[in-house]
């Protein structure tokens, strides 16, 4: 397969994240801006060490924050010049990676540097209510609609359970995958593999969720979470989490000037699927990104899928013909957690660590599914 010219493609030159906290625990007092600001500040500091930097914008994904322009609040809180604007985007769980896709597109059109990623503070998510009608009380709701009710608007958990059933993914395989994700994350954590990517926040320096000794046998004791005869449980699902992650995106000329290793963005893709099976969004987005990048799954050295549910990831692997053991080699969201608006950007940070900080390959893929039936993917290549 011929591959497109990439010498002038945008490059990710830095990537950092907060620790990922379990909702209500280590980062519970931090707002979305409190989480994003330290990461923005850390990246800004890294960039300034390379001399003058034309920082044009900050783009942050966020799903459940206080509303308004969280990115602008976080950028100002981080001490960026008031002349640097900021944009908040919402593609549900795909928001963090979608923000990076927007930044890559912007840098292609106009030279400069953008900071992009996502943030979520599930711990401080405001309560939401529909306005009262006919003199009745306000009606509290947990989330906005993902899709029109007439098309089907399931929560992600029940939809993942049905997706696993569609693809015949048994409970035992899901528990095995989840246990392996925790084992991999614990190994990476103990070896310091996350240390260089993490920006401490509120005195927290490590992820809350990875559990040593979490075996398939222990997971097998848990009851189905969404359907009486279902296979998805609390143990083979992601957590509800707090965290932020961002990357610095520069144009090719800026990258050549600063001369630092990075990840060249070969292709990105966004796709839609049936809102009743939203977790399948990874599949068409991955296929389209690989096709645009002139690569196949066999070319990839690191594959990072957002592990919202083991059954969902395994169904996507089966649909793609991908060996599940290749996904998230250092542990994924089942172990680390899923801070919704940030999770897609966490994938990009994880690629940066595995391909740039600890060189171990050339090509990488990040992909995530989103409520409402969408998927976002990005293919990258290491570059000096």
């Amino acid at each position: 397969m011929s591959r497109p010219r990439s010498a002038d493609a945008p490059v990710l030159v830095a990537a950092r994240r907060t620790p990922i906290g379990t909702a209500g625990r280590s980062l519970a007092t931090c707002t979305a801006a409190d989480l994003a600001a330290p990461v923005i500040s850390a990246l800004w500091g890294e960039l300034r060490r390379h001399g003058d930097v034309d920082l044009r914008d900050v783009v942050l994904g966020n799903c459940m924050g206080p509303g308004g322009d969280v990115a602008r609040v976080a950028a100002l809180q981080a001490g960026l010049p008031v002349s640097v604007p900021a944009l908040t985007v919402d593609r549900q769980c795909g928001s963090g990676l979608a923000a990076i896709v927007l930044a890559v597109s912007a840098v292609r059109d106009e030279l400069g540097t953008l900071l992009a990623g996502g943030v979520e503070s599930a711990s401080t998510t405001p309560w939401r209510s529909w306005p009262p009608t006919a003199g009745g009380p306000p009606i509290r709701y947990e989330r906005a609609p993902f899709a029109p009710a007439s098309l089907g608007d399931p929560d992600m958990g029940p939809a993942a359970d049905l997706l696993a059933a569609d693809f015949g993914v048994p409970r035992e395989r899901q528990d095995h995958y989840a246990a392996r994700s925790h084992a991999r994350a614990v190994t990476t954590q103990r070896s310091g593999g996350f240390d260089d990517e993490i920006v401490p926040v509120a005195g927290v320096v490590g992820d809350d969720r990875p559990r040593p000794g979490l075996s398939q046998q222990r997971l097998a004791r848990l009851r189905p979470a969404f359907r009486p005869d279902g296979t998805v449980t609390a143990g083979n699902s992601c957590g509800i989490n707090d965290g932020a992650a961002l990357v610095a995106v520069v144009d090719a000329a800026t990258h050549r000037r600063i001369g630092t290793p990075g990840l060249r963005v070969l292709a990105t893709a966004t796709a839609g699927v049936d809102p009743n099976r939203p977790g399948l969004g990874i599949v068409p987005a991955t296929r389209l990104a690989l096709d645009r990048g002139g690569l196949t799954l066999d070319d990839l050295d690191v594959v990072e899928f957002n592990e919202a549910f083991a059954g969902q990831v395994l169904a996507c692997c089966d649909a793609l013909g991908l060996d599940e053991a290749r996904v998230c080699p250092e542990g994924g969201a089942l172990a680390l957690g899923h801070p919704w608006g940030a999770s897609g950007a966490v994938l990009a940070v994880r690629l940066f660590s595995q391909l740039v900080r600890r060189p171990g390959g050339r090509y990488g893929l990040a992909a995530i599914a989103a409520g409402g039936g969408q998927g976002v993917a990005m293919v990258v290549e290491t570059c000096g």
Side-chain angles (χ1 to χ4, degrees), residues 13 43-56 81 84 112-115 248-251 254 257-258:
V13 295
L43 288 177
W44 179 229
E46 287 187 41
L47 290 170
R48 294 174 74 183
R49 288 198 291 271
H50 298 292
D52 292 336
V53 175
D54 178 20
L55 183 57
R56 290 181 32 227
V84 178
T113 300
L114 274 74
L115 301 182
V249 185
V250 303
D251 63 272
T254 297
R257 176 176 65 80
I258 65 179

Side-chain angles (χ1 to χ4, degrees), residues 18 31-41 60 70 74 78 118-119 244 246:
T18 67
T31 66
D34 292 338
L35 293 171
V39 186
I40 292 172
S41 180
L60 276 182
V70 173
V119 61
L246 288 95

Side-chain angles (χ1 to χ4, degrees), residues 5 50 57 179 189 227 306:
R5 291 178 57 84
H50 298 292
D57 210 344
Q189 192 175 55
R227 299 188 302 148
N306 185 59

Side-chain angles (χ1 to χ4, degrees), residues 177 184 303-305 307 313 317 322-329:
Y177 183 95
R184 287 175 167 181
V303 177
E304 288 286 326
F305 286 169
E307 295 176 342
V313 172
C317 288
L322 174 66
D323 180 357
E324 64 208 53
R326 296 181 59 194
V327 177
C328 299

Side-chain angles (χ1 to χ4, degrees), residues 17-298:
R17 67 174 177 91
T18 67
I20 299 174
T22 298
R25 289 181 55 189
S26 65
L27 300 174
T29 62
C30 298
T31 66
D34 292 338
L35 293 171
V39 186
I40 292 172
S41 180
L43 288 177
W44 179 229
E46 287 187 41
L47 290 170
R48 294 174 74 183
R49 288 198 291 271
H50 298 292
D52 292 336
V53 175
D54 178 20
L55 183 57
R56 290 181 32 227
D57 210 344
V58 176
V59 187
L60 276 182
N62 180 251
C63 299
M64 302 290 286
D69 192 349
V70 173
R72 177 63 170 171
V73 177
L76 294 174
Q77 189 168 322
L80 294 189
V82 296
S83 57
V84 178
L87 171 69
T88 302
V89 299
D90 182 356
R91 202 186 287 276
Q92 293 299 296
C93 296
S95 298
L97 192 54
I100 296 173
V101 169
L102 286 174
V104 168
S105 179
V107 166
R108 283 196 181 106
D109 292 339
E110 185 177 344
L111 304 185
T113 300
L114 274 74
L115 301 182
V119 61
E120 204 70 62
S121 173
S123 293
T124 65
T125 296
W127 289 7
R128 291 166 163 80
S129 299
W130 296 113
T133 58
I139 301 174
R140 186 183 172 194
Y141 64 96
E142 297 294 328
R143 64 166 176 84
F146 293 146
S150 59
L151 292 179
D153 185 25
D155 285 336
M156 298 297 284
D161 212 336
L162 293 171
L163 181 61
D166 290 346
F167 279 79
V169 181
R171 166 72 182 271
E172 294 77 10
R173 188 177 166 203
Q174 295 176 50
D175 288 346
H176 174 77
Y177 183 95
R180 183 172 59 197
S181 182
H182 278 269
R184 287 175 167 181
V186 168
T187 297
T188 306
Q189 192 175 55
R190 288 175 172 171
S191 68
F194 298 132
D195 292 355
D196 290 342
E197 71 192 33
I198 289 180
V199 178
V201 176
V204 181
V205 298
D207 302 310
D208 284 355
R209 184 173 165 84
R211 295 180 60 187
L214 184 63
S215 65
Q216 181 177 347
Q217 291 71 30
R218 290 177 63 186
L219 290 172
R221 302 171 191 167
L222 300 177
R223 296 179 178 178
F226 303 108
R227 299 188 302 148
D229 59 346
T231 56
V232 175
T233 71
N236 58 39
S237 304
C238 64
I240 298 175
N241 300 93
D242 306 322
L246 288 95
V247 300
V249 185
V250 303
D251 63 272
T254 297
H255 175 247
R256 287 191 289 269
R257 176 176 65 80
I258 65 179
T260 186
L263 293 178
R264 180 178 291 117
V265 181
L266 298 181
T268 64
T270 306
V273 295
D274 182 356
N276 293 286
R277 299 294 186 272
L280 205 57
I282 283 174
V283 174
T286 290
R287 287 172 173 158
L288 185 55
L290 287 172
D291 184 63
R292 289 173 175 173
L295 299 174
T296 70
L297 288 168
D298 291 338

Side-chain angles (χ1 to χ4, degrees), residues 97 177 181 184 188 194 197 282 286 300-307 313 322 326-333 336 343-355 358 363-369 376-378 380:
L97 192 54
Y177 183 95
S181 182
R184 287 175 167 181
T188 306
F194 298 132
E197 71 192 33
I282 283 174
T286 290
L300 300 173
D301 298 292
V302 181
V303 177
E304 288 286 326
F305 286 169
N306 185 59
E307 295 176 342
V313 172
L322 174 66
R326 296 181 59 194
V327 177
C328 299
E330 296 186 344
L336 296 175
S343 292
V346 171
L347 302 178
V349 174
R350 298 272 49 252
L351 285 180
F352 196 92
S353 286
Q354 293 170 86
L355 292 171
R358 303 186 301 279
Y363 296 111
L365 165 73
I368 188 168
V376 188
M378 177 176 69
V380 297

